[in-house]
Amino acid sequence: MSKAVLDINDKPTPVQLVTLSFQHMFAMFGSTILVPQLVGLSPAIALLTSGIATLFFLLITKFQVPAYLGSSFAFIAPILIAAGGLDDNGLSVNPGNAMIGAMAVGITYGIVSLIIWKSGYKWIMKILPPIVVGPVIMVIGLGLSGTAVNMAMNVDGEYNLLHFSAALVTLFTAIIFTIFFKGILSTMPILIGLIVGYVYSIFIGIVNFEPIKEAKMFALPHFIIPGVNYDFTITSTILLAMVPIVIVTISEHIGHQLVLGKVVNRDYIKEPGLHRSLLGDGFGTLISAFIGGPPKTTYGENIGVLAITRVYSVYVIAGAAVVAIVLSFFGKAMAVIATIPTAVLGGVSILLFGIIASSGLRMLVDNHVDFGNSRNLVIASVILVIGIGGAKFIVTESLSLEGMALAAIIGVVLNAILPGKKEADIPVPYNQNNQS
């Protein structure tokens, strides 16, 4: 184990604080702003809430866990379902519905963390073994693959070679920085891909600069507050679209805590405890949703930065959160983000969604799941086809389960009732660089 340059509670110098905080902010930046772009929410509010959620996470975990919270990819499809899709301008039709669902997710995290506090954590791994979580993670990535390819290739439903070239430039840039670069640059392939793709898009003339010209230098993020911007209405459709996804995100959270603990040489499952870190994640999601941001999750990119730099200081993580909050009020910067062509977003999405799907496969491999066992084969097969095929279970007009949520629940049920179940251990973390 290499000695830390700055340990958890070490205070950096002012110069270190500024430079290292910006480094962490840029590591999470590309992925955090991509999620709201894909679901029709405000990138500014996503940045703001990522900073706020991270500060609350640090507080709840007693400033012992140097983790950054960013936008969760696992909720892209559920948000679109809950919000009724996107309008002609690419904005969420009913974002308030998605926010209600995200608040319910945050509350669910709180309930689970309370149970873990009282009864320990091993029970949850019996419910969420790799044979269930791995295929559901694959569903998250593969279920979004059509969206990524459509964004990359088509304009108004028609194939466009010029736009597709921008997607390919973006995609291959991200691949090159992922594979061939080392150090800090290798932790930011999405951000670098977006930058290179954007510059190429300017060169080929597909960027509209009008929003930048019209934007103010400083502007408030677009808040979406219950009772102010929408009526607070809870429906079964919203809850069933969003809440079941915690089956995956809780497992992801545990994986990230295990990886982070290995990096900084601490056991975060025991101290400050899984219940605290899970509560921090849930409270961050709840606060984010209350003002219009997407659900949150700990970010693998930032764990990668910790591993490379050996700077584990929570002061640096807090500094990155403050930088994100300040940046969210720069109207011109947010306007630049709004002008990123859909093709460029599609290019990075191809890689990101593919990595998410591959992460599920890696979880199965790392945990030596035996597909010669008919039980495992049945569970994985049913989850994949129901999730990717978009199956629906309609009870009434206002009560239905579909896609990923339905697949996750059926996977849990099959694992519970089929014979031959073995004692579940905590899974090997499946991918340090996955933000699902």
Side-chain angles (χ1 to χ4, degrees):
M1 179 68 64
S2 300
K3 184 179 179 181
V5 174
L6 287 173
D7 210 351
I8 303 297
N9 296 119
D10 289 347
K11 293 184 179 181
T13 66
V15 173
Q16 285 178 320
L17 179 61
V18 172
T19 57
L20 296 172
S21 295
F22 268 95
Q23 184 169 266
H24 267 288
M25 192 277 295
F26 282 122
M28 66 83 194
F29 186 84
S31 298
T32 288
I33 65 167
L34 180 59
V35 172
Q37 289 282 79
L38 296 176
V39 299
L41 297 176
S42 162
I45 205 71
L47 268 183
L48 174 65
T49 53
S50 76
I52 293 173
T54 298
L55 293 176
F56 273 110
F57 179 88
L58 293 174
L59 179 64
I60 290 170
T61 57
K62 301 190 290 187
F63 296 95
Q64 294 182 24
V65 185
Y68 194 95
L69 271 58
S71 306
S72 174
F73 279 77
F75 289 96
I76 291 175
I79 286 174
L80 291 172
I81 293 170
L86 304 178
D87 61 21
D88 294 338
N89 297 316
L91 300 176
S92 179
V93 174
N94 292 303
N97 288 351
M99 296 305 106
I100 296 299
M103 286 185 222
V105 167
I107 293 170
T108 303
Y109 269 67
I111 294 171
V112 173
S113 67
L114 179 62
I115 296 172
I116 291 174
W117 178 45
K118 291 296 185 182
S119 62
Y121 62 86
K122 291 186 178 179
W123 64 271
I124 198 167
M125 298 319 302
K126 295 179 181 179
I127 297 174
L128 305 175
I131 187 55
V132 173
V133 178
V136 174
I137 292 171
M138 294 173 70
V139 167
I140 293 173
L142 295 176
L144 292 166
S145 59
T147 299
V149 172
N150 180 64
M151 291 170 64
M153 290 197 319
N154 301 328
V155 177
D156 297 327
E158 298 291 333
Y159 176 78
N160 188 299
L161 179 59
L162 192 64
H163 282 70
F164 191 34
S165 71
L168 292 177
V169 167
T170 305
L171 172 61
F172 285 114
T173 299
I175 290 173
I176 288 168
F177 275 84
T178 300
I179 301 297
F180 297 105
F181 282 75
K182 304 297 181 183
I184 295 301
L185 290 178
S186 68
T187 67
M188 296 183 277
I190 302 306
L191 176 62
I192 296 170
L194 287 171
I195 292 171
V196 173
Y198 188 78
V199 172
Y200 175 79
S201 298
I202 294 173
F203 179 74
I204 63 175
I206 63 171
V207 177
N208 176 18
F209 291 106
E210 286 304 314
I212 301 175
K213 296 176 182 177
E214 296 173 0
K216 297 179 181 178
M217 184 61 69
F218 300 100
L220 284 174
H222 180 60
F223 294 98
I224 306 174
I225 300 173
V228 178
N229 303 100
Y230 63 93
D231 294 329
F232 197 98
T233 305
I234 302 174
T235 68
S236 56
T237 300
I238 294 172
L239 297 180
L240 290 175
M242 300 281 288
V243 174
I245 310 307
V246 300
I247 291 172
V248 175
T249 54
I250 287 176
S251 181
E252 175 200 40
H253 177 89
I254 295 171
H256 278 171
Q257 291 304 101
L258 289 169
V259 172
L260 181 58
K262 290 177 182 178
V263 170
V264 304
N265 196 27
R266 284 167 173 79
D267 186 352
Y268 285 134
I269 302 299
K270 292 183 178 179
E271 181 60 37
L274 180 61
H275 63 287
R276 277 190 172 271
S277 63
L278 196 60
L279 178 63
D281 206 336
F283 192 75
T285 292
L286 179 64
I287 292 296
S288 172
F290 188 78
I291 59 175
K296 302 305 179 193
T297 185
T298 47
Y299 255 32
E301 291 96 328
N302 294 88
I303 297 174
V305 173
L306 292 172
I308 291 168
T309 63
R310 291 181 290 119
V311 173
Y312 310 144
S313 174
V314 290
Y315 293 96
V316 173
I317 299 295
V322 172
V323 170
I325 291 170
V326 172
L327 182 61
S328 69
F329 289 90
F330 278 79
K332 289 288 186 184
M334 295 301 104
V336 170
I337 293 171
T339 63
I340 298 174
T342 301
V344 172
L345 298 176
V348 293
S349 296
I350 289 173
L351 178 61
L352 265 177
F353 298 161
I355 287 175
I356 291 171
S358 299
S359 298
L361 181 60
R362 179 176 173 178
M363 178 181 246
L364 298 173
V365 173
D366 286 347
N367 287 277
H368 309 292
V369 175
D370 179 15
F371 279 97
N373 183 320
S374 298
R375 181 182 189 278
N376 291 338
L377 191 64
V378 166
I379 293 173
S381 300
V382 171
I383 290 173
L384 288 170
V385 173
I386 286 179
I388 298 172
K392 292 184 179 181
F393 183 72
I394 301 175
V395 180
T396 66
E397 187 175 337
S398 61
L399 179 60
S400 65
L401 269 171
E402 60 183 283
M404 188 199 317
L406 179 60
I409 291 174
I410 289 178
V412 169
V413 171
L414 286 176
N415 178 65
I417 66 175
L418 291 180
K421 182 179 179 181
K422 296 181 180 179
E423 189 73 16
D425 295 321
I426 294 177
V428 174
Y430 46 89
N431 189 350
Q432 180 171 314
N433 295 310
N434 172 27
Q435 315 80 24
S436 66

